[in-house]
Amino acid sequence: MIAQQLVNGIVTGSVYALFALGFTLIFGTFKILNLAHAGVFMSGAFIGYFAVLNGLPLWLALVLAMIGSGLISYIVELGAFATIRGSGQIEFGALISSIGANLCLMSLGQRLSNTKVLRFPFETFPVEFYEFGPVRFSFLQVIILLVVVVLLMAMMFYLYKTSFGRQIRAVSGNERVASLLGVNPGLVYFQTFFISGALAGVAGIMIGLSFNSIHFYMGEPYLLKAFVVVVLGGLGSVHGAVVAGMLLGIFQNLAVAYLPSALTETIIYGLLFVVLLVKPSGLFGSEGVQVGVARR
Amino acid sequence: MMLEVKDLAAAYSGIEALRGVSLHIEQGEMVALIGANGAGKSTLLNCLSGTVRAKRGSIRFDGSEIVGTRPHRVSRMGLLHVPEGRQILFELTVEENLLLGELARGSRTSDYGLSEVFKLFPILQERRLQRGGTLSGGQQQMLAIGRALMGGPKLLLLDEPSLGLSPIITDQVFDALQALNAAGLTILLVEQNANRALQVTKRAYLLEHGELAYQGNSADLLHDEKVIAHYLGHLPSA
């Protein structure tokens, strides 16, 4: 029983990590709390759904969702953030304008779905189960874990081993200096928002498939979870987001299984509270990183 | 001619920081630009590298007009600016800082790769895998210069390289600059430490309230009574 819950927790947690990673990437790089990340996540699920509905294979739907939500994420950057970047109020201003962008995306989703819950056609994904002793897991869970692990590794490689990653981290450190060294900040903004959005889009499809339920409001609960993950892991820390996402998933599954279900959320936020009391910068946070809005 | 600035004017946060400055630098020269705090030295450099937009005038670099060109394009043309306060990227390792510098080189060839920079500043090789933020002030200055060299500069702009450094470290940095210049690199050196800057250059400009107050041989400036009184203080040996 406990092994089963651990497996389920790891799969749930990997999707949390995927969602939170895109969120923390934007925060870590540009000090923007992008609340429209929930809307981008939902857009990914919608794009995937409509692709499948039009007869495309699932893998192609996944690729389309990644590209589509990546572009939508960049459109959010152009509309909500680039326009106010010169004002000197980016940190607080972006928080507000991202709420606006999120509302736009949600309204669009609401219109497209007529406020209904959309479901993938029957047998979009083969329902198969494997058993290893006491542990039972589905083919979908295996695929989710596989996709998430591959994406996380690709992202780590990209950020820490390539010239593009170096450029992103340079702009994160000091945009002016980076541009003096030949880094084109516009290109870095595009890449970062695109990657963030693509990760959210994949997470959207994964969640849509897991619960076979896609609706315009599906991103909101994950946004709240992403806050927990990002704060728990340390603001802006990529490693922290992955570990904290997994921990949260496992913890949540165990709590649901062994404790009164009404207590689950209480325990999650209580845990967050305790971690922040003991280590205010989060599990992997550096002392230098502070919440952008409270900085001045 | 490497750089030709004509009648350059610029405002910085509403204040007219430059009011029609003209200067030129020949290929292979090392030129000093001195002046008091707030005279407009940094604004001039920022105009050259494109981070401050000129209001009027022209900047010709290596044959092309660069007013209005964005900073990353200017640096990719080979005009590299080592900003005041060194501005190391703290979260990147020493090596990553240097490799980032390579970006400005593009397809141009350069005399300076990692091994040349490490030869010029051996301490950077020792600290290769440390984060930039852990270096001392002098090491950071060396890293900032090394990083700019990686970009294959045709013209190197240095803003106050001696700022906050001990005299011994300042000597090391200036020795390195002289060696670079001797090897053919064109350098514009901005300094408040006028004495030191005039000693290592042949030609100098003096900037006062956004205008050129004097230009000529560095040696002459070192002995100019007005310059001594205002910018050099009491000189023991000059």
Side-chain angles (χ1 to χ4, degrees), chain A residues 169 174 176-177 180 182-183, chain B residues 46 72 75-76 87 96 100:
Chain A
R169 288 184 294 138
N174 187 331
R176 175 171 168 266
V177 170
L180 286 180
V183 177
Chain B
N46 287 335
H72 69 273
S75 58
R76 287 180 189 204
Q87 311 283 0
E96 283 178 327
L100 189 73

Side-chain angles (χ1 to χ4, degrees), chain A residues 16-100:
Chain A
Y16 288 164
L18 199 58
F19 183 94
L21 202 57
F23 187 70
T24 204
L25 184 64
I26 300 295
F27 181 81
T29 315
F30 306 120
K31 302 283 172 285
I32 288 173
L33 282 170
N34 180 14
L35 299 186
H37 201 61
V40 174
F41 163 87
M42 181 268 300
S43 313
F46 269 65
I47 294 169
Y49 169 78
F50 284 110
V52 168
L53 209 64
N54 284 302
L56 296 177
L58 192 60
W59 68 267
L60 190 57
L62 188 69
V63 172
L64 282 179
M66 275 182 88
I67 295 171
S69 48
L71 291 177
I72 289 173
S73 171
Y74 184 58
I75 291 171
V76 169
E77 138 72 8
L78 289 180
F81 306 138
T83 42
I84 59 171
R85 192 155 286 133
S87 71
Q89 288 289 330
I90 180 69
E91 285 154 356
F92 192 64
L95 187 67
I96 303 299
S97 61
S98 75
I99 294 177

